[in-house]
Amino acid sequence: MSTTGKYDIQGIELTDDTYTVEQSLVRNKYKAMDAAGNVVLRGKQQMFKLKEKFPFVDADDNEVFEVNAGGIIDVAGNYVLTDSQTGEDVVVLDNDYSILQDTWKVRDAQTEEKLAEINSRGAMVTLARNVLPFGHWIPHKYEITDQNGDHVGNIDGQFSLKDRYEITIDDASSVPKEPIIAAAMVIDAIQGN
């Protein structure tokens, strides 16, 4: 039986295995589209806040969840995903920043159990992105694994004027999709890409 039901977010149901996340040209504003190209989720980083905040709405502009930084200007830290309808914390996104490896853990908000991990692929690419003057133009590529380290999916950056990611979830039996889609947007915004 799938354990992902425990992490369902009221007001949104993501059932596809592939999604596209696209950033707007102007600022840290994102949309997620399903396999048919329909917008299913939109999020934006609220600017000029001491603590970073990312509210997310569905295609009809109904609030579904928000992601809030655990600390002030939190480059490497915790981001809590809270269901807007129930007010309950669902998961925590932990950023373990390194110049050679971008690692994000998705943890249960109550038990702190690791549910998934999102790791950048290739130390040289990550180093180039962090060091070279135009390194931010190099697209991100991440692997998604479950709590046992088994492959679950990928987040593949596409080279374009606005950041674009193709998210593929090969096996979501133990990994909730909503936090993975949200993480793709939050990772891009936090890391200033």
Side-chain angles (χ1 to χ4, degrees):
M1 180 177 148
S2 171
T3 60
T4 59
K6 177 180 177 183
Y7 304 101
D8 284 348
I9 296 170
Q10 301 295 313
I12 190 160
E13 187 174 345
L14 301 180
T15 57
D16 286 355
D17 293 332
T18 60
Y19 291 89
T20 301
V21 169
E22 191 173 84
Q23 180 183 25
S24 77
L25 284 172
V26 181
R27 62 183 204 135
N28 288 345
K29 188 175 179 181
Y30 301 87
K31 64 182 176 182
M33 295 161 287
D34 63 15
N38 301 311
V39 173
V40 293
L41 193 61
R42 285 193 299 277
K44 64 181 176 182
Q45 181 180 22
Q46 289 190 339
M47 306 305 275
F48 311 112
K49 299 280 183 187
L50 286 178
K51 282 186 164 185
E52 290 174 298
K53 181 177 183 178
F54 302 84
F56 288 84
V57 297
D58 65 12
D60 298 320
D61 285 331
N62 298 312
E63 291 182 29
V64 286
F65 63 89
E66 65 182 34
V67 176
N68 292 290
I72 298 172
I73 317 271
D74 211 357
V75 175
N78 298 336
Y79 297 85
V80 179
L81 187 151
T82 305
D83 188 317
S84 294
Q85 293 184 15
T86 65
E88 292 184 27
D89 294 340
V90 180
V91 297
V92 175
L93 305 172
D94 279 332
N95 180 7
D96 295 331
Y97 179 77
S98 162
I99 197 163
L100 296 176
Q101 176 78 40
D102 293 326
T103 299
W104 288 77
K105 292 183 182 98
V106 180
R107 294 186 293 110
D108 182 288
Q110 279 70 47
T111 68
E112 298 190 9
E113 173 189 8
K114 184 172 84 169
L115 305 172
E117 195 165 283
I118 302 170
N119 288 296
S120 60
R121 293 183 283 172
M124 294 308 293
V125 172
T126 303
L127 181 63
R129 285 187 53 76
N130 289 319
V131 176
L132 295 177
F134 296 101
H136 63 280
W137 285 82
I138 302 169
H140 273 296
K141 296 212 182 280
Y142 295 93
E143 181 180 23
I144 306 162
T145 56
D146 65 14
Q147 66 267 28
N148 299 319
D150 296 327
H151 175 84
V152 171
N154 297 311
I155 301 173
D156 291 318
Q158 309 295 312
F159 185 77
S160 67
L161 287 177
K162 47 188 174 180
D163 291 345
R164 184 180 175 97
Y165 297 91
E166 298 298 330
I167 302 169
T168 305
I169 313 246
D170 302 319
D171 178 11
S173 60
S174 63
V175 176
K177 290 182 183 180
E178 289 88 352
I180 300 299
I181 305 303
M185 297 182 205
V186 171
I187 289 168
D188 189 74
I190 296 300
Q191 295 181 342
N193 301 311

